[in-house]
Amino acid sequence: MAKEGADMTEETEYMIDKNVGKETENVESFGDTKEMRAVILSGFGGLNKLRVTKKAMPEPQDGEVKIRVKACGLNFLDLMVRQGTIDSPPKPPLVPGFECSGIVESVGENTKGFEVSDRVMAFVNYNAWAEVVCTPVEFVYKLPDEMTFTEAAAFSLNFVAAYMMLFEVANLREGMSVLVHSAGGGVGQAVAQLCSTVPNVTVFGIASCFKHAAIRDSVTHLFDRNVDYIQEVKKISPDGVDIVLDCLCGENTGKGLSLLKPLGTYILYGASNMVTGETKSFFSFAKSWWQVEKVNPIKLYEENKVIAGFSLLNLLFKQGRCSLVKAVMDKLLCLYEQKKIKPVVDSLWALEEVKEAMQRIHDRGNIGKLILDVEKTPTPLMASDSTETSEAGEEEEEPEGDNDSKERMPFIH
Ligand SMILES: NC(=O)c1ccc[n+]([C@@H]2O[C@H](COP(=O)([O-])OP(=O)(O)OC[C@H]3O[C@@H](n4cnc5c(N)ncnc54)[C@H](OP(=O)(O)O)[C@@H]3O)[C@@H](O)[C@H]2O)c1
């Protein structure tokens, strides 16, 4: 077994040498230490803060699993990390990324339950966007045989977050109604699929108009994100909805609360509204914070409403609820094996294409999840397709929120 792992390392290193592009010229030397490719965020800011470089390969510590990474998930949260819009981020330089899939290459002392060559997916507290990752065994899960590495990298964060919000926090049951923003995104599509596992659930989805044809069948009612969704929902359901899932924050908090039926639950789980350009905007940050409805518990009592917050990363990495997440993952893998859920993958990108991939989310172009495919060779860009930042490292012009990225999809597989 150990020999298989060593062979695989040599083979992959050969591919690295063949594939590394100009961005990896900046090779740091680590003497005899083995090196790996990784995406580095050199400081908080725009896309030009990201580059692929070589780093010393990590070795598993006590209780850790070392994974030869095949694919990594790229989430909206990663944009917020890049901009420095999240709470208490680690100091850059850092390797971003919270989830990956791959093959176990070795395990540390006292690490039980995994063997070399196991196919796995894992949560990582940063450092996922690399060829090799070490993470505590509590955050690692075996893949069903039929699940591909791409699917696995699109699975963990989105489906676990969606499941826990719907079933652990809001107690979704037959006949209820759910409103979800960004319905065409990674979490949005996971929410839609999980709602379809419960009889007679009505899903009100909100998404950019151009996604509607692709996702119409996944929800019951679909609205353009630019319409007054309160009025639209009330036309269909005058009493409102049972569950509001709000990843936008700002003015949507008050709107979401006003839409709740008695005993309904509003869950805040993101702050996408804070991202308005390529770099952190203090204006958007302040506006979003200012617009959040100030909640009076006495009003909640009078109106019979529940307000909740959910952060999977905090649950895992700060609050130690790994066993709860593991139980949820087991249920989700059963649903996957029964073919009731399946991650929607938008596109695959090489590590060297991370800037273009992030730009696609900024442009609201994705339907489903973006994946960094560690073994993919970068696709040459046509001059007219280029979204690369300048080599000189200047900040780029702020992208327009609504630009037509759906016509620029050079890397879809
Ligand atoms: N709390 C948690 O545990 C947790 C876990 C995972 C994700 N999240 C949150 O859930 C949300 C969705 O995450 P995701 O990773 O699945 O991403 P995603 O929905 O795939 O994100 C991209 C989509 O978000 C929408 N969007 C809304 N505001 C945007 C903005 N300011 N800039 C660009 N796009 C914007 C766009 O869709 P439309 O144009 O169609 O609206 C875009 O296509 C994010 O807020 C994320 O932070 C929270």
Side-chain angles (χ1 to χ4, degrees), residues 47 52 75 102 144 152 304 308 392:
L47 295 164
V52 176
N75 297 293
N304 271 310

mmCIF file of all heavy atoms in Angstrom, residues 47 52 75 102 144 152 304 308 392:
data_model
loop_
_atom_site.group_PDB
_atom_site.id
_atom_site.type_symbol
_atom_site.label_atom_id
_atom_site.label_comp_id
_atom_site.label_asym_id
_atom_site.label_seq_id
_atom_site.Cartn_x
_atom_site.Cartn_y
_atom_site.Cartn_z
ATOM 1 N N LEU A 47 -8.536 40.233 -7.305
ATOM 2 C CA LEU A 47 -8.121 38.955 -7.886
ATOM 3 C C LEU A 47 -6.604 38.856 -7.999
ATOM 4 O O LEU A 47 -6.040 37.760 -7.967
ATOM 5 C CB LEU A 47 -8.756 38.802 -9.274
ATOM 6 C CG LEU A 47 -10.293 38.697 -9.277
ATOM 7 C CD1 LEU A 47 -10.845 38.933 -10.665
ATOM 8 C CD2 LEU A 47 -10.728 37.337 -8.755
ATOM 9 N N VAL A 52 -0.663 30.950 -8.170
ATOM 10 C CA VAL A 52 -0.257 29.571 -7.857
ATOM 11 C C VAL A 52 1.236 29.579 -7.618
ATOM 12 O O VAL A 52 1.990 30.195 -8.369
ATOM 13 C CB VAL A 52 -0.614 28.625 -9.021
ATOM 14 C CG1 VAL A 52 -0.096 27.222 -8.739
ATOM 15 C CG2 VAL A 52 -2.121 28.595 -9.208
ATOM 16 N N ASN A 75 -16.282 28.457 -3.311
ATOM 17 C CA ASN A 75 -17.547 28.953 -2.771
ATOM 18 C C ASN A 75 -17.585 30.471 -2.727
ATOM 19 O O ASN A 75 -16.542 31.128 -2.763
ATOM 20 C CB ASN A 75 -17.727 28.414 -1.343
ATOM 21 C CG ASN A 75 -17.829 26.910 -1.322
ATOM 22 O OD1 ASN A 75 -18.802 26.340 -1.822
ATOM 23 N ND2 ASN A 75 -16.811 26.242 -0.798
ATOM 24 N N GLY A 102 -10.319 13.667 -2.716
ATOM 25 C CA GLY A 102 -9.069 13.085 -3.222
ATOM 26 C C GLY A 102 -8.834 11.704 -2.641
ATOM 27 O O GLY A 102 -9.782 11.027 -2.216
ATOM 28 N N PRO A 144 -18.973 7.309 -1.546
ATOM 29 C CA PRO A 144 -19.621 6.146 -2.172
ATOM 30 C C PRO A 144 -18.902 5.857 -3.500
ATOM 31 O O PRO A 144 -18.363 6.788 -4.117
ATOM 32 C CB PRO A 144 -21.050 6.635 -2.450
ATOM 33 C CG PRO A 144 -21.206 7.933 -1.734
ATOM 34 C CD PRO A 144 -19.858 8.478 -1.453
ATOM 35 N N ALA A 152 -17.905 15.098 -5.358
ATOM 36 C CA ALA A 152 -17.604 15.144 -3.921
ATOM 37 C C ALA A 152 -17.168 16.555 -3.501
ATOM 38 O O ALA A 152 -17.554 17.036 -2.433
ATOM 39 C CB ALA A 152 -16.515 14.131 -3.589
ATOM 40 N N ASN A 304 -45.012 35.474 17.020
ATOM 41 C CA ASN A 304 -44.717 34.037 16.905
ATOM 42 C C ASN A 304 -43.739 33.751 15.773
ATOM 43 O O ASN A 304 -44.013 32.961 14.863
ATOM 44 C CB ASN A 304 -45.996 33.239 16.672
ATOM 45 C CG ASN A 304 -46.640 32.824 17.974
ATOM 46 O OD1 ASN A 304 -45.963 32.268 18.837
ATOM 47 N ND2 ASN A 304 -47.905 33.130 18.137
ATOM 48 N N ALA A 308 -32.969 32.913 13.381
ATOM 49 C CA ALA A 308 -31.809 32.055 13.641
ATOM 50 C C ALA A 308 -30.644 32.459 12.754
ATOM 51 O O ALA A 308 -30.813 33.160 11.757
ATOM 52 C CB ALA A 308 -32.180 30.594 13.360
ATOM 53 N N ALA A 392 1.416 43.283 -13.460
ATOM 54 C CA ALA A 392 2.028 44.306 -12.606
ATOM 55 C C ALA A 392 1.368 44.353 -11.237
ATOM 56 O O ALA A 392 1.877 44.950 -10.313
ATOM 57 C CB ALA A 392 1.894 45.666 -13.271
#
